[in-house]
Amino acid sequence: MSELVTINTILDFLLECIEQKKIVDAHTWIDASQKLNILLSDEHDELFSLQQKVAQDKVTLIEEGLSVAHARVKVEATDVYREMRSQAAKIGRIEETIRISKIQSKLKDNELRSYNL
């Protein structure tokens, strides 16, 4: 039985290839970027849930009488806020990996074409 493909398994695979200085072919780059792009919706859903939780926490603090600025500062000190920021950064890294994978695939393909001439 094969392992479930997730964002983390794909990123771990690419990281392992980089660490071990393995050459990744164009097909693998494109395959990875396609899978990352499809699986990215789950990461966005998680981010949206965290953003909603942070907003609800702010509303609660404001309703308790804190100023908006004070509520914002208190919420930014919470673990949920840190988690939200980490999730946003993860999505940014995934999107950049997709862009790099596309470029890497084109470069590998061009390299093969020029080599075969």
Side-chain angles (χ1 to χ4, degrees):
M1 192 153 112
S2 63
E3 183 180 345
L4 181 66
V5 176
T6 66
I7 292 272
N8 291 332
T9 58
I10 296 167
L11 294 176
D12 289 345
F13 169 77
L14 293 174
L15 179 63
E16 180 183 327
C17 289
I18 291 166
E19 289 175 345
Q20 295 181 6
K21 298 180 182 179
K22 292 181 181 177
I23 295 174
V24 180
D25 61 27
H27 172 74
T28 303
W29 279 114
I30 286 295
D31 186 50
S33 67
Q34 287 174 333
K35 289 175 182 173
L36 287 170
N37 192 43
I38 290 168
L39 296 170
L40 191 56
S41 64
D42 292 337
E43 299 299 322
H44 278 112
D45 288 343
E46 185 176 338
L47 176 61
F48 298 149
S49 294
L50 290 167
Q51 287 173 329
Q52 181 181 25
K53 175 71 174 124
V54 166
Q56 288 169 342
D57 290 348
K58 284 181 189 177
V59 167
T60 300
L61 291 171
I62 292 168
E63 287 175 345
E64 290 175 359
L66 293 180
S67 69
V68 173
H70 192 182
R72 181 175 43 88
V73 170
K74 283 190 82 120
V75 168
E76 287 176 1
T78 65
D79 288 337
V80 174
Y81 184 82
R82 181 194 49 77
E83 226 180 297
M84 180 192 75
R85 298 286 296 181
S86 293
Q87 184 66 18
K90 181 179 181 180
I91 288 170
R93 286 190 309 274
I94 293 166
E95 290 170 343
E96 188 61 23
T97 299
I98 291 168
R99 283 190 279 278
I100 290 170
S101 294
K102 290 176 185 178
I103 293 168
Q104 192 68 13
S105 174
K106 286 178 189 175
L107 290 173
K108 294 285 184 188
D109 189 50
N110 289 341
E111 184 180 309
L112 285 174
R113 287 175 195 246
S114 66
Y115 182 72
N116 289 329
L117 292 179

